Amino acid sequence: MRTLWLHCHVASMAQGAYSIIEEAAIVTRGGLIEWIGPHRALPMTPADRTVDLGGAWVTPGLIDCHTHAVFGGNRSDEFEQRLQGASYAQIAAQGGGIASTVRATRAASEDELFASALPRVQALMRDGVTMLEIKSGYGLDLANERKMLKVIRRLGEALPLTVRSTCLAAHALPPEFSGRADDYIGYLCEQMLPTLAEEGLVDAVDAFCEHLAFSPVQVERVFIKARELGLPVKLHAEQLSSQGGAGLAARYRGLSADHLEFMTEQDAIAMAAAGTVAVLLPGAFHCLRETRRPPMEALRKHGVKIALASDLNPGTSPVLSLRLMLNMGCTLFHMTPEQALAGVTLHAATALGLGHSHGSLEEGKVADFVAWQIERPADLAYWLGGDLNKRVVRRGQEISY
Ligand code: DI6
Ligand code: FE
């Protein structure tokens, strides 16, 4: 079926810039973009269906390339404690933090986890998200990591959106391995990861490289195993301190290194050379009241691609809006609205290893797009919250959400 989409302007995000086509037309066929360009240059192809987009601005579907959307419980109690002066590290040291979500996630059934994640993912979809990544990492043993990863797969089957799963078993040390981090990494590498990969539940492997989580030496063991299994890697790096994680991710040709407040210029040089995307997470920065920004000048100077994501998680970033991250990318990290939009489209796709097929509107790419009733593309970063008037198309089909 060939569909002709008319009466629109396009910010195609080709090459990570607006790449505007005014008075545009789009032809989709079999879920792909067959043709896109100015309406006056439209080839005379017979269409099965014509859709009038009413003067909308069309952008690629938004991509949230870093979330922890599946979890048990919530941690608004810790939010209150932090507002009274407790730090994230102090709460973690008292058995709260990630450990408390691990307890709640282990206690929840697969169906309960699915039911609680569903409205969170739907909230992101209402913002124009057509693809997202979700990490495990609150199970921390084979059965519970498997349970989370199955829920992640089920969300992708139940909803009209593309879901990529990342195994983050190296997120925190589970209580049963207390004081034995190296043993846990051994269990993860020898049992958990090979089994979960074999079961087809894992698209990529992530770890938390931080003084309150795992060291670069431990993370490297996980990366070596991932490489052996043919899985791409990414890393939570340099969020709270400088650990050399970003450079490590680059050495393993990581898809991305994420957070990065404490990264160095040397890391930027290594990431640019490896094509490792910098995924910035202004929601966590804001919620933790961080003051040290990622080194934007170094990232730009060395040409590192910059993505933005929600980091949706119950501890540091209870963020249900990717558009809000566009605004925060501009206000907190000094990005332009154009750079921010590239960060949730083409560069986010690249951070998921899918830059060749998603993230920009070009011939041959997947027809995931949003037609927004807005004045200009900067409106997407300008409005905070709210539900902008839009139509969402995935694989050439309009979806309801
Ligand atoms: N960095 C984060 O932002 C989340 N995990 C991580 O490694 C926080 C997870 C949590 O606090 O539950
Ligand atoms: Fe995270």
Side-chain angles (χ1 to χ4, degrees), residues 309-347:
S310 69
D311 197 14
L312 165 52
N313 78 68
T316 59
S317 193
V319 166
L320 297 172
S321 164
L322 189 57
R323 268 200 318 102
L324 180 58
M325 297 304 98
L326 292 181
N327 179 277
M328 287 189 176
C330 297
T331 52
L332 300 178
F333 294 165
H334 304 192
M335 295 170 80
T336 65
E338 184 176 25
Q339 289 165 344
L341 189 58
V344 297
T345 54
L346 186 59
H347 300 329

Side-chain angles (χ1 to χ4, degrees), residues 46-127:
D48 303 295
R49 202 166 60 109
T50 300
V51 182
D52 185 328
L53 291 172
W57 272 95
V58 175
T59 69
L62 306 190
I63 299 172
D64 194 344
C65 66
H66 179 144
T67 86
H68 311 246
V70 172
F71 56 84
N74 88 28
R75 311 222 301 269
S76 52
D77 52 342
E78 292 181 7
F79 174 59
E80 287 190 303
Q81 289 167 30
R82 285 207 310 277
L83 291 173
Q84 283 157 18
S87 73
Y88 183 68
Q90 280 165 349
I91 291 170
Q94 288 158 10
I98 294 173
S100 90
T101 300
V102 171
R103 286 191 292 276
T105 304
R106 286 180 170 183
S109 69
E110 188 183 312
D111 286 345
E112 285 165 347
L113 287 179
F114 180 84
S116 67
L118 191 65
R120 294 192 280 265
V121 172
Q122 286 169 323
L124 292 171
M125 289 175 72
R126 276 196 296 280
D127 245 4

Side-chain angles (χ1 to χ4, degrees), residues 38-347:
H39 189 179
R40 61 186 144 67
L42 180 68
M44 291 296 288
T45 26
D48 303 295
R49 202 166 60 109
T50 300
V51 182
D52 185 328
L53 291 172
W57 272 95
V58 175
T59 69
L62 306 190
I63 299 172
D64 194 344
C65 66
H66 179 144
T67 86
H68 311 246
V70 172
F71 56 84
N74 88 28
R75 311 222 301 269
S76 52
D77 52 342
E78 292 181 7
F79 174 59
E80 287 190 303
Q81 289 167 30
R82 285 207 310 277
L83 291 173
Q84 283 157 18
S87 73
Y88 183 68
Q90 280 165 349
I91 291 170
Q94 288 158 10
I98 294 173
S100 90
T101 300
V102 171
R103 286 191 292 276
T105 304
R106 286 180 170 183
S109 69
E110 188 183 312
D111 286 345
E112 285 165 347
L113 287 179
F114 180 84
S116 67
L118 191 65
R120 294 192 280 265
V121 172
Q122 286 169 323
L124 292 171
M125 289 175 72
R126 276 196 296 280
D127 245 4
V129 167
T130 52
M131 188 194 299
L132 89 160
E133 182 254 23
I134 309 179
K135 302 170 194 298
S136 67
Y138 293 118
L140 309 184
D141 61 25
L142 180 58
N144 286 294
E145 286 291 300
R146 179 190 283 128
K147 179 173 69 180
M148 289 190 73
L149 290 164
K150 280 184 163 174
V151 171
I152 295 168
R153 284 281 186 252
R154 272 176 65 186
L155 287 162
E157 286 154 16
L159 293 167
L161 102 153
T162 304
V163 177
R164 304 292 287 176
S165 79
T166 298
C167 181
L168 177 58
H171 192 194
L173 195 60
E176 59 277 16
F177 278 90
S178 180
R180 295 188 297 130
D182 287 323
D183 291 350
Y184 177 66
I185 294 292
Y187 164 64
L188 192 166
C189 291
E190 296 320 314
Q191 299 192 34
M192 262 201 277
L193 207 47
T195 308
L196 297 168
E198 168 75 28
E199 292 172 9
L201 293 170
V202 182
D203 298 325
V205 174
D206 193 354
F208 190 12
C209 187
E210 194 54 67
H211 57 82
L212 47 77
F214 297 100
S215 70
V217 172
Q218 290 163 339
V219 170
E220 187 161 12
R221 290 173 61 197
V222 178
F223 281 5
I224 289 169
K225 179 52 72 172
R227 180 181 272 179
E228 224 177 278
L229 295 168
L231 293 169
V233 299
K234 51 179 64 191
L235 191 61
H236 283 72
E238 332 295 352
Q239 179 185 8
L240 307 168
S241 61
S242 227
Q243 301 270 322
L248 175 64
R251 277 211 303 290
Y252 281 80
R253 298 217 160 263
L255 293 173
S256 68
D258 304 33
H259 285 289
L260 300 175
E261 280 81 347
F262 286 80
M263 74 177 272
T264 64
E265 182 158 7
Q266 281 311 110
D267 294 331
I269 294 168
M271 286 171 66
T276 300
V277 177
V279 177
L280 305 186
L281 305 166
F285 176 90
H286 168 74
C287 292
L288 292 176
R289 294 174 157 170
E290 298 285 347
T291 51
R292 178 161 163 157
R293 288 188 297 122
M296 303 303 291
E297 302 71 22
L299 289 170
R300 288 203 185 99
K301 178 171 154 203
H302 297 289
V304 180
K305 289 181 178 140
I306 302 174
L308 281 170
S310 69
D311 197 14
L312 165 52
N313 78 68
T316 59
S317 193
V319 166
L320 297 172
S321 164
L322 189 57
R323 268 200 318 102
L324 180 58
M325 297 304 98
L326 292 181
N327 179 277
M328 287 189 176
C330 297
T331 52
L332 300 178
F333 294 165
H334 304 192
M335 295 170 80
T336 65
E338 184 176 25
Q339 289 165 344
L341 189 58
V344 297
T345 54
L346 186 59
H347 300 329

